[in-house]
């Protein structure tokens, strides 16, 4: 989710900063480079999603293994990573449907 916020939200933030500060030339250059990163990420979003899924599964296995040996409370960090993964899948599906 944070990756999507960076690639899609950063250009909007840059334009807002330009409007507030009046530094349009510098922001226009920044927006151009962010646009390239944005296109790169969208071009490879399925691979990024697969790697993210592998990391979530790995985290789940490590969490389960840790719980065999130690008593822990609710796994907030793991739950947050699963929530972010679900949000990324939803965002990508919505992006592709439009």
């Amino acid at each position: 989710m944070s990756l999507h916020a960076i690639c899609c939200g950063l250009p909007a933030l840059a334009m807002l900063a330009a409007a507030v500060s009046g530094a349009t030339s510098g922001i226009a250059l920044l927006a151009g480079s962010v646009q390239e990163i944005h296109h790169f990420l969208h071009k490879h979003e399925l691979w990024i999603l697969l790697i993210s899924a592998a990391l979530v599964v790995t985290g789940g296995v490590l969490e389960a293994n840790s719980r065999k040996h130690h008593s822990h409370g609710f796994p907030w960090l793991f739950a947050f990573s699963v929530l972010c993964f679900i949000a990324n899948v939803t965002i990508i599906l919505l992006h592709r449907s439009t």
Side-chain angles (χ1 to χ4, degrees):
M1 185 170 197
S2 61
L3 185 61
H4 194 270
I6 290 171
C7 81
C8 294
L10 198 55
L13 183 61
M15 292 305 151
L16 180 62
V20 171
S21 69
T24 55
S25 62
I27 295 301
L29 293 173
L30 174 67
S33 62
V34 170
Q35 183 86 6
E36 291 176 26
I37 294 169
H38 182 251
H39 285 301
F40 175 81
L41 292 174
H42 278 295
K43 185 177 177 183
H44 301 289
E45 64 191 3
L46 292 179
W47 284 107
I48 293 168
L49 194 62
L50 288 173
I51 292 169
S52 178
L55 290 172
V56 169
V57 169
T58 302
V61 169
L62 291 172
E63 183 73 32
N65 189 36
S66 174
R67 288 180 177 277
K68 287 180 186 177
H69 306 290
H70 303 286
S71 176
H72 300 291
F74 186 78
W76 291 105
L77 186 60
F78 180 68
F80 183 67
S81 68
V82 171
L83 180 68
C84 288
F85 178 75
I86 291 169
N88 277 332
V89 170
T90 303
I91 289 168
I92 288 172
L93 289 175
L94 290 174
H95 239 68
R96 289 182 170 255
S97 69
T98 57

